[in-house]
Amino acid sequence: MKKYVLACIGSIIVIAGLVYFFNSDKTSINTENQLSKAPTIYKSAWVEITRGTLFLKLPGQKKKKKNGDTVESGSALETGKNSVATIHMPDGSLLSMDKETSLTLSDINFQLENKTLSVKVGLNVGRVWSKVISLATVESEWEVKTSNTVATVRGTAFGMSFKNGTSWVNASENNVAVTP
């Protein structure tokens, strides 16, 4: 009888685990997979849509982006409900956007001659993960800004979220300067 009860409990645990696995939220950023795809130097920033849709927001409309489309300074981007996208910067650095994220690329500028990179992102809502390859010059900068927080880095990986007026910053390598 005891073996039968233990077998039943074990079966229930296995079934519950399978149900959890197959129904769990798989829309979060898979940083290991995404960040391992850092390309070599390109002339402009471009997008990779891992899942769902990425839109370029224009006055009064949204334009659907495709894999490989370029993005420029001033671009306002938004991911859909079950969407994940990565912006590949000209030096190989990455900015991954999680589901339901809205941001503006205030500045994307890479000068190949002196390897100076400037990236400034305004995060309106949602979550991003930044993988900064290396800011080789003193003039280089990488900044993610919400309405109440600014995160500035020099060669690191960090995540940032903003929702309902609250900002979160998570650094996984080196240092991130955070100011209100």
Side-chain angles (χ1 to χ4, degrees):
M1 180 70 171
K2 217 177 201 183
K3 288 182 183 180
Y4 176 74
V5 171
L6 289 175
C8 285
I9 291 172
S11 297
I12 291 170
I13 291 172
V14 169
I15 291 170
L18 290 172
V19 168
Y20 174 78
F21 176 78
F22 287 109
N23 290 325
S24 64
D25 182 9
K26 294 182 177 55
T27 60
S28 293
I29 298 172
N30 180 347
T31 55
E32 276 185 33
N33 183 29
Q34 300 252 344
L35 299 179
S36 67
K37 297 179 182 178
T40 54
I41 296 172
Y42 288 87
K43 291 183 179 178
S44 58
W46 58 279
V47 297
E48 174 187 10
I49 302 158
T50 307
R51 177 177 41 260
T53 52
L54 176 67
F55 296 100
L56 174 65
K57 295 189 312 185
L58 301 166
Q61 65 175 325
K62 292 182 184 179
K63 181 180 176 186
K64 193 173 179 180
K65 299 296 274 180
K66 301 180 310 242
N67 278 325
D69 283 354
T70 58
V71 290
E72 301 172 357
S73 294
S75 296
L77 301 171
E78 181 178 281
T79 54
K81 185 172 183 167
N82 294 307
S83 303
V84 176
T86 301
I87 302 165
H88 294 260
M89 299 301 170
D91 73 330
S93 295
L94 305 173
L95 179 71
S96 293
M97 299 174 63
D98 204 1
K99 62 183 178 179
E100 298 175 313
T101 296
S102 173
L103 59 77
T104 300
L105 300 171
S106 305
D107 185 30
I108 301 175
N109 187 358
F110 181 68
Q111 297 179 15
L112 184 58
E113 316 78 56
N114 60 7
K115 295 186 169 94
T116 299
L117 175 69
S118 176
V119 174
K120 291 184 179 180
V121 178
L123 178 60
N124 303 319
V125 69
R127 182 171 57 184
V128 295
W129 180 260
S130 301
K131 175 63 177 176
V132 184
I133 298 301
S134 178
L135 296 178
T137 66
V138 210
E139 297 83 22
S140 293
E141 59 188 336
W142 187 286
E143 175 183 285
V144 178
K145 183 178 184 178
T146 68
S147 65
N148 61 8
T149 305
V150 179
T152 308
V153 299
R154 296 245 183 258
T156 193
F158 76 101
M160 190 161 179
S161 302
F162 182 73
K163 186 175 181 180
N164 299 326
T166 303
S167 296
W168 294 272
V169 179
N170 299 319
S172 69
E173 299 172 12
N174 301 320
N175 297 318
V176 177
V178 179
T179 56

